Amino acid sequence: MSDLLQQLAQVLEERKQAAPDSSYVAKLYDKGLDGILKKIGEEATETVMAAKDGDAEKIVYEIADLWFHTLVLLAHQGLGPDLVLQELQRRFGLSGLEEKAQRGKSVS
């Protein structure tokens, strides 16, 4: 699976150099951070609505949109999916309560 994320990340990096009228992603980059964040908000809302409807196919579709747009955000910020996967790996095997307690200590 991470191969697919890496392929997507590579395409998203390439789109940074593209003209806004040449691709959807290039157009998102041209809108800047606020435009990307607005799109993520829309996709998150659509994901919630799909979950409330209980339609499995729609849930998967909307989560794919949400993940895609968060990958755009990562690329826009000069980050990649490997960093997120590393963070998930770090948390793996940790209880949610323990992880949350550690987060509280690192913030203060």
Side-chain angles (χ1 to χ4, degrees), residues 12-47:
L12 294 176
E13 279 301 314
E14 292 168 4
R15 294 296 192 274
K16 286 181 175 180
Q17 309 307 318
D21 61 350
S22 69
S23 83
Y24 172 74
V25 172
K27 189 177 292 189
L28 274 177
Y29 286 141
D30 189 57
K31 291 179 180 180
L33 182 60
D34 286 346
I36 295 167
L37 294 175
K38 180 179 178 188
K39 191 63 184 170
I40 290 172
E42 290 173 13
E43 298 303 341
T45 300
E46 289 171 2
T47 298

Side-chain angles (χ1 to χ4, degrees), residues 39-56 58-70:
K39 191 63 184 170
I40 290 172
E42 290 173 13
E43 298 303 341
T45 300
E46 289 171 2
T47 298
V48 169
M49 291 168 46
K52 292 289 270 180
D53 291 344
D55 181 341
K58 195 172 179 183
I59 292 167
V60 169
Y61 182 89
E62 294 301 343
I63 288 176
D65 278 352
L66 180 59
W67 284 12
F68 177 81
H69 288 90
T70 58

Side-chain angles (χ1 to χ4, degrees), residues 10 26-29 35 40 43 49 54 57-61 67 71-72 74 78 82 85-86 88 91-92 95 103:
Q10 181 63 39
K27 189 177 292 189
L28 274 177
Y29 286 141
I40 290 172
E43 298 303 341
M49 291 168 46
E57 187 175 323
K58 195 172 179 183
I59 292 167
V60 169
Y61 182 89
W67 284 12
L71 288 170
V72 172
L74 285 170
D82 277 349
L85 292 173
Q86 288 170 16
L88 288 171
R91 295 180 189 186
F92 192 77
S95 85
R103 227 182 323 153

